[in-house]
Amino acid sequence: HPAVLREAQGVVDRVLGSGQPTVQCLPELRYIEQVLLESLRLWPTAPAFGMEPLVPTRIGDRYRVTPDEPLIVLVPMLHRDPLVFGPDVEAFRPERFDREREAQLPPHAFKPFGTGQRACIGSPFAMQEALRRGPFFEAIMRNVRGELAECSQSNLCLVKDGTVRTPALDA
């Protein structure tokens, strides 16, 4: 996604120049956070979680389930609900997570770090570190400059003169 990469690099250049990110500058790196959130929407760190209803209930007025029936939630499918994320759920669009749109997400529609008692308690720290100095930030925002090689649905996208390889999810 060359346009996303260029915009992200522009944000980093404008906010940080040649300096290092600090906790104080994280609010100004919101677009970088949006890129990370959209990446987690498409490829969550916790791809599934189990749950059981506490009382007999119906899911979507269609499926009757009882407390003795365990359920598995496939998070990549949850994150690809066209009623929540629009008809282009497979497209990589960081703007889905601008403040206004993120605030409109239904509760429990976005679960990249799991849910309930077994949700990752370190997710806020992980997000902060990814934005400050993680491999995501360093590889994508600092060390990758230049033109992107051609991408296709069936292979990896290689960055010329860099080491980043990402699956091409859409054109």
Side-chain angles (χ1 to χ4, degrees):
H1 308 283
V4 171
L5 180 60
R6 280 190 295 278
E7 177 152 350
Q9 289 170 333
V11 168
V12 169
D13 291 345
R14 179 179 47 77
V15 173
L16 302 178
S18 61
Q20 292 299 311
T22 64
V23 173
Q24 291 77 21
C25 75
L26 292 182
E28 295 178 72
L29 296 174
R30 178 60 187 170
Y31 185 73
I32 309 305
E33 184 177 0
Q34 289 173 222
V35 170
L36 187 53
L37 291 170
E38 179 68 350
S39 298
L40 288 168
R41 182 187 72 82
L42 291 168
W43 300 106
T45 57
F49 57 85
M51 54 186 358
E52 294 177 359
L54 298 176
V55 297
T57 191
R58 285 196 184 277
I59 299 173
D61 288 329
R62 194 168 169 191
Y63 302 101
R64 183 166 159 51
V65 292
T66 61
D68 61 334
E69 295 178 281
L71 304 170
I72 300 293
V73 176
L74 300 175
V75 179
M77 297 310 297
L78 175 70
H79 291 175
R80 285 171 170 81
D81 183 345
L83 296 176
V84 174
F85 294 102
D88 61 344
V89 294
E90 293 296 333
F92 185 78
R93 293 187 33 238
E95 62 271 14
R96 290 182 214 275
F97 288 95
D98 67 25
R99 294 269 186 229
E100 185 178 309
R101 289 182 184 145
E102 186 178 24
Q104 293 174 359
L105 286 177
H108 309 294
F110 184 61
K111 298 282 189 177
F113 293 102
T115 191
Q117 291 178 326
R118 290 176 180 72
C120 177
I121 62 170
S123 61
F125 179 71
M127 289 293 293
Q128 176 181 301
E129 288 303 291
L131 292 171
R132 283 189 59 224
R133 61 176 159 232
F136 168 80
F137 183 85
E138 286 300 317
I140 302 295
M141 301 302 119
R142 287 290 194 190
N143 299 324
V144 176
R145 299 293 178 184
E147 294 183 32
L148 294 174
E150 294 244 349
C151 298
S152 76
Q153 292 285 350
S154 62
N155 64 16
L156 295 176
C157 179
L158 303 177
V159 179
K160 292 180 182 175
D161 300 324
T163 59
V164 175
R165 296 173 204 96
T166 57
L169 296 175
D170 62 301

